[in-house]
Amino acid sequence: MTNVATYLDYNAGAPARPAVVDAVVAALAIGGNPSSVHRAGRLARRAIEDARETVAETVGAEASEVIFTSGGTEANNLALLGAVRRGLAARLIVSAIEHDSIRAAAEGAGVPVALVPVDRDGVVDLDALDRLLADGQGPALVSVMLANNETGVIQPVAEVARIARGHGALVHSDAVQALGKGAVDFSALDVDMMTVSAHKIGGPAGVGALVKRAGIDLLPLSLGGGQDYGRRPGTENLAGIAGFAAAAKCLGGDADVTALRDRLEREVLAQVPGTRIFGAGAARVGNTACIGLSNVKAETQVMALDLAGVLVGAGSACSSGKVRPSPVLTAMGESEAVARSAIRVSLGWASVAGDVDRFLAAYIEFAGRALQARAAVVQKESNHG
Ligand code: PLP
């Protein structure tokens, strides 16, 4: 896709890296089942355990703490539902800006759920978290993401963990949008569980991991064999797991895209009246720009940019192609109209200055036309009025 268009939707899914493609092909060629005792099985098992070491090292964890899953969604579900069903949590406290896979899992867990509000920049309110923990009954599991998928705003997860521990609660963090964009260190964050996903870092879609402290015994989500040390039944996705590790190995060599993102935002604000950058007052990962253009629907912007060969995201693009007002922006206190007008531009490992130039040319041209059209409508209405 990157060779036919300017791809700036890395938070939805990063293009696969060449090293990942090679690793996936090599793993497919092994062909065995990692549970088989013959040599093909042993080769497959070795490849999985090597990958486990690599992913663990990348996120500051022990290999034994890494459970491979079918992606971030399953890892988030396993963290919440596995803890509740095992009786480790009688209530869930999640931030108001979590990904659907946390929100929906929490709502479906069958225990009381409390939402921690965020401020206008999208940073979780730690005093409110403290109060919610103090007020409720029974053991709690707190889940707060490390970086938000729409705004890139970084959450104070180490502080969240400290507060939660003070109340005897367990802590999970969804680090899917933080991995590869700054330090993600499981032991330094001092959380009990953490989620990562391969396709956000240039690995294959359909593979991820839940990183979990040894002492936490979750109930598996499905029933079956004893794979992954009894924590996740089902024959392992060897090719996906090998691709995930190959992507993780590349992270240290990626160029920092923060200066490109900052230039993009500066130019947008300087050249297009009525634009805003959401979350700009908070610490953010360096690849994400969440841009509002008043009175122009996100899907209109995305389609116009697509026609100009520039691919960006609208709202929570992870879902199903549906564009709804961003719940993240409404949680930040924005109106529904404003929350419908935001696009997300996200850069990554293959992004170059020319991508930003092409985005700016297309965006400024489109926004100019949209603003002119709107001015004409307003003029016509005032002539009639
Ligand atoms: N968590 C966050 C913050 C995400 O942005 C996403 C996907 O966009 C997920 C979880 C789900 O990950 P996956 O697509 O691997 O299921």
Side-chain angles (χ1 to χ4, degrees):
M1 63 190 149
T2 41
N3 50 6
V4 292
T6 298
Y7 188 77
L8 290 170
D9 200 10
Y10 278 71
N11 287 12
R17 299 166 188 265
V20 168
V21 176
D22 292 347
V24 168
V25 171
L28 286 172
I30 296 176
N33 183 323
S35 298
S36 300
V37 290
H38 52 59
R39 76 185 74 169
R42 290 199 305 275
L43 261 184
R45 165 67 44 214
R46 189 65 262 145
I48 287 183
E49 296 314 322
D50 286 350
R52 203 188 301 276
E53 292 274 351
T54 301
V55 170
E57 208 176 299
T58 307
V59 301
E62 299 292 328
S64 59
E65 295 174 319
V66 173
I67 306 172
F68 286 117
T69 65
S70 64
T73 298
E74 184 192 331
N76 282 342
N77 273 261
L78 178 58
L80 270 54
L81 299 177
V84 168
R85 291 176 187 168
R86 188 60 96 195
L88 303 178
R91 56 192 175 116
L92 296 168
I93 301 180
V94 307
S95 90
I97 53 162
E98 294 299 312
H99 186 260
D100 279 348
S101 53
I102 288 288
R103 292 286 290 269
E107 280 157 22
V111 294
V113 181
L115 290 186
V116 193
V118 295
D119 68 15
R120 286 207 67 92
D121 276 314
V123 181
V124 78
D125 179 341
L126 295 173
D127 292 332
L129 169 66
D130 197 31
R131 281 195 299 277
L132 286 169
L133 279 159
D135 287 350
Q137 296 286 313
L141 168 60
V142 175
S143 184
V144 174
M145 67 199 334
L146 193 46
N148 183 262
N149 41 311
E150 292 182 39
T151 60
V153 169
I154 297 170
Q155 302 301 319
V157 170
E159 269 297 280
V160 166
R162 195 186 55 74
I163 292 168
R165 294 228 179 286
H167 292 272
L170 292 174
V171 191
H172 166 259
S173 184
D174 175 348
V176 165
Q177 294 290 352
L179 187 61
K181 302 168 187 170
V184 173
D185 188 323
F186 180 66
S187 56
L189 286 172
D190 196 25
V191 291
D192 298 292
M193 298 181 275
M194 186 174 86
T195 293
V196 286
S197 173
H199 71 117
K200 310 296 185 181
I201 61 167
V207 59
L210 180 67
V211 186
K212 174 188 81 63
R213 269 202 309 114
I216 313 254
D217 178 27
L218 301 173
L219 196 72
L221 294 183
S222 43
L223 305 176
Q227 287 93 347
D228 215 315
Y229 308 96
R231 302 174 300 190
R232 202 250 181 190
T235 303
E236 294 90 338
N237 171 8
L238 171 60
I241 290 169
F244 186 6
K249 274 189 191 152
C250 293
L251 290 180
D254 286 349
D256 186 353
V257 294
T258 309
L260 293 180
R261 189 278 311 267
D262 289 350
R263 174 163 72 87
L264 184 150
E265 290 185 349
R266 265 198 318 275
E267 290 294 321
V268 163
L269 291 175
Q271 307 220 24
V272 184
T275 46
R276 288 176 59 190
I277 307 296
F278 298 103
R284 288 181 296 158
V285 289
N287 82 314
T288 306
C290 186
I291 304 169
L293 176 61
S294 4
N295 298 313
V296 186
K297 283 203 176 113
E299 59 264 45
T300 310
Q301 301 183 52
V302 170
M303 285 185 308
L305 291 168
D306 188 4
L307 282 175
V310 178
L311 313 186
V312 302
S316 185
C318 287
S319 317
S320 56
K322 65 180 190 284
V323 181
R324 52 181 185 174
S326 157
V328 172
L329 297 183
T330 48
M332 288 162 65
E334 301 295 346
S335 69
E336 197 173 297
V338 169
R340 280 189 185 279
S341 76
I343 60 166
R344 176 185 67 190
V345 183
S346 50
L347 293 79
W349 67 267
S351 299
V352 291
D355 295 328
V356 173
D357 297 337
R358 284 185 287 278
F359 168 81
L360 287 170
Y363 184 79
I364 291 165
E365 198 271 330
F366 162 74
R369 272 191 284 126
L371 294 175
Q372 258 177 17
R374 174 137 195 95
V377 171
V378 171
Q379 181 66 48
K380 209 166 159 193
E381 279 169 4
S382 77
N383 289 347
H384 283 89

